[in-house]
């Protein structure tokens, strides 16, 4: 890329790299929740799954407080599962930090970029992430669905992040493991990468930063 083209690209993009959380920064573990559904309510699994989806959507969009969510979850399971167990199972969805991602964030920052998280998540899960993940101490900030009141790929999710962190520009790069979220970002003019592994992602970042 010649200097004039590079200047145009730099003018278009902010020095911001945007990462999804689940599937990019950490593993998601739905095993304990699935096991709970299968073992306690096998005769009504479809209805339970539908109720869980609706409740999860409401929680992640900030439409219901955490305490009310768990009480409603208790009702969904017919009052048969102790609240403490429901809390443990729900919190277990947030798995371990994905190996290599903290080091990748360091490399991005060393290249002069800031890192921002964009995630469909709830207050209770974000609390776990902030407490347990080293990556959270390395980032500039985050935008979540419970803050915005909707989930990706709703345009508002991307617009809020732009307004808060990009100063009228687009992020330099956004990676997510879900194609529909990437499509939503692309419709907003973002440059995207479909996350498959830390190695693939950092190779794409290095290629772009070298152009």
């Amino acid at each position: 890329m010649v200097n004039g083209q590079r200047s145009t690209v730099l003018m278009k993009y902010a020095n911001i790299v945007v990462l999804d959380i689940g599937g990019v920064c950490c593993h998601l573990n739905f095993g304990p929740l699935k096991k709970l559904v299968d073992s306690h309510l096998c005769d009504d699994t479809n209805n339970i799954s539908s109720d869980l989806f609706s409740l999860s959507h409401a929680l992640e969009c900030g439409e219901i407080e955490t305490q009310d969510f768990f009480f409603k979850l208790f009702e969904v399971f017919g009052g048969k599962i102790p609240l403490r167990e429901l809390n443990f199972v729900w919190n277990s969805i947030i798995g371990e930090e994905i190996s290599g991602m903290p080091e990748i964030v360091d490399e991005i920052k060393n290249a002069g970029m800031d890192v921002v998280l964009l995630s469909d998540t709830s207050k209770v899960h974000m609390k776990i992430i902030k407490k347990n993940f080293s990556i959270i101490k390395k980032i500039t900030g985050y935008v979540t669905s419970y803050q915005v009141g909707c989930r990706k790929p709703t345009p508002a999710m991307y617009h809020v992040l732009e307004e808060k962190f990009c100063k009228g520009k687009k992020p330099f790069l956004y990676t997510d493991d879900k194609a529909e979220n990437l499509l939503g970002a692309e419709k907003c003019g973002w440059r995207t990468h479909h996350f498959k592994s830390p190695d693939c992602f950092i190779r794409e970042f290095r290629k772009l930063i070298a152009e």
Side-chain angles (χ1 to χ4, degrees):
M1 182 181 290
V2 299
N3 289 340
Q5 291 174 316
R6 181 174 175 81
S7 297
T8 300
V9 170
L10 291 176
M11 288 175 63
K12 179 180 179 180
Y13 295 111
N15 289 335
I16 298 290
V17 173
V18 182
L19 309 179
D20 180 32
I21 296 181
V24 174
C25 296
C26 74
H27 297 285
L28 295 178
N29 176 24
F30 291 99
L33 181 60
K34 184 179 184 301
K35 183 177 179 180
L36 195 67
V37 172
D38 291 345
S39 62
H40 289 273
L41 295 152
C42 57
D43 294 333
D44 200 19
T45 297
N46 290 335
N47 288 337
I48 294 304
S49 297
S50 176
D51 289 342
L52 284 174
F53 178 85
S54 297
L55 277 176
S56 176
H57 184 279
L59 184 68
E60 290 186 347
C61 291
E63 298 169 358
I64 185 173
E65 291 299 323
T66 302
Q67 185 177 24
D68 293 333
F69 166 79
F70 281 112
F71 282 133
K72 288 184 179 296
L73 196 62
F74 181 76
E75 293 173 357
V76 165
F77 282 92
K80 299 176 182 178
I81 314 298
L83 281 170
R84 179 176 294 183
E85 183 177 351
L86 291 173
N87 192 292
F88 173 80
V89 167
W90 194 259
N91 290 346
S92 296
I93 291 173
I94 301 298
E96 295 182 354
E97 199 166 44
I98 291 178
S99 177
M101 287 307 295
E103 292 77 13
I104 284 175
V105 171
D106 287 336
E107 180 172 339
I108 292 170
K109 292 177 65 179
N110 288 337
M113 301 274 177
D114 290 326
V115 176
V116 175
L117 305 180
L118 179 66
S119 179
D120 294 336
T121 194
S122 61
K123 287 182 182 179
V124 63
H125 281 169
M126 198 64 198
K127 184 177 180 180
I128 296 169
I129 292 162
K130 291 166 72 174
K131 178 181 179 182
N132 296 334
F133 292 170
S134 63
I135 202 169
I136 204 74
K137 299 175 183 177
K138 305 172 183 287
I139 64 168
T140 297
Y142 56 84
V143 172
T144 65
S145 55
Y146 74 80
Q147 295 170 315
V148 180
C150 60
R151 300 200 296 188
K152 297 177 287 185
T154 306
M157 286 288 285
Y158 311 102
H159 293 160
V160 168
L161 188 142
E162 285 182 19
E163 293 169 4
K164 189 172 182 179
F165 296 104
C166 296
K167 300 179 180 179
K169 299 182 180 182
K170 304 298 180 182
F172 182 77
L173 183 63
Y174 166 54
T175 189
D176 197 302
D177 63 319
K178 293 183 178 179
E180 61 268 27
N181 294 341
L182 297 173
L183 180 59
E186 289 163 5
K187 288 179 178 178
C188 294
W190 288 24
R191 181 162 59 182
T192 66
H193 168 78
H194 195 169
F195 188 90
K196 299 294 185 182
S197 72
D199 287 344
C200 290
F201 169 60
I202 197 59
R203 283 199 299 268
E204 177 69 8
F205 172 77
R206 289 167 182 165
K207 183 185 78 172
L208 293 173
I209 204 73
E211 290 180 349

